[in-house]
Amino acid sequence: MPGRVDIDDPEVDMDQGLRLLHRGELFTGEVEERLGGAVVGLDAYVAGVQHGPSREWYEDGTLRSEGTAREGRPVGASREWHPNGVLAAETEFSEDGMTMLAERRWDEEGRPAKNWRAGAE
């Protein structure tokens, strides 16, 4: 079983349970997405389910987003950046991945655009 596969590899597929398969077997390892030769996405999978770090980049190599999944659900903090490198959003999820706890957003100049927290008015 390979440690890393390309999501566009013809031997990569999804089953009816939306689990990732490589050569017909549930995949464990890293799944990359490429655009024009550059890696623009890298996600960790365990037994066909997203589990572990997830990162995306713009085509020029600037970080676009990062977060962590546990058993297919987002957990902890995830972040997104504008193409100019300024933080665009930060979202916090519960450790079971079932609840969004907070979300903050900024415009391309870094000015606050949204600040929401669960339970706050």
Side-chain angles (χ1 to χ4, degrees):
M1 184 75 66
R4 184 182 282 191
V5 296
D6 187 319
I7 192 67
D8 294 322
D9 184 319
E11 296 183 312
V12 172
D13 202 359
M14 298 289 259
D15 69 8
Q16 290 182 342
L18 299 179
R19 295 174 302 180
L20 191 85
L21 304 172
H22 181 259
R23 297 180 179 163
E25 300 291 326
L26 293 174
F27 181 75
T28 296
E30 293 179 318
V31 176
E32 67 182 18
E33 180 179 357
R34 291 181 166 271
L35 186 60
V39 175
V40 294
L42 191 60
D43 298 305
Y45 278 75
V46 174
V49 178
Q50 193 175 355
H51 188 88
S54 174
R55 297 184 90 185
E56 293 180 321
W57 295 268
Y58 290 101
E59 241 183 302
D60 68 1
T62 303
L63 190 60
R64 182 179 191 148
S65 67
E66 68 179 4
T68 303
R70 185 175 297 134
E71 297 176 3
R73 295 187 193 99
V75 295
S78 66
R79 293 173 189 85
E80 298 174 35
W81 287 267
H82 292 288
N84 65 2
V86 171
L87 188 63
E90 187 172 67
T91 309
E92 186 181 338
F93 296 93
S94 61
E95 286 305 307
D96 65 3
M98 299 297 283
T99 308
M100 184 189 300
L101 302 174
E103 179 183 31
R104 297 187 306 163
R105 294 195 167 275
W106 297 268
D107 67 15
E108 288 187 353
E109 279 75 50
R111 293 182 297 249
K114 181 178 186 175
N115 191 356
W116 174 84
R117 182 165 288 283
E121 292 291 320

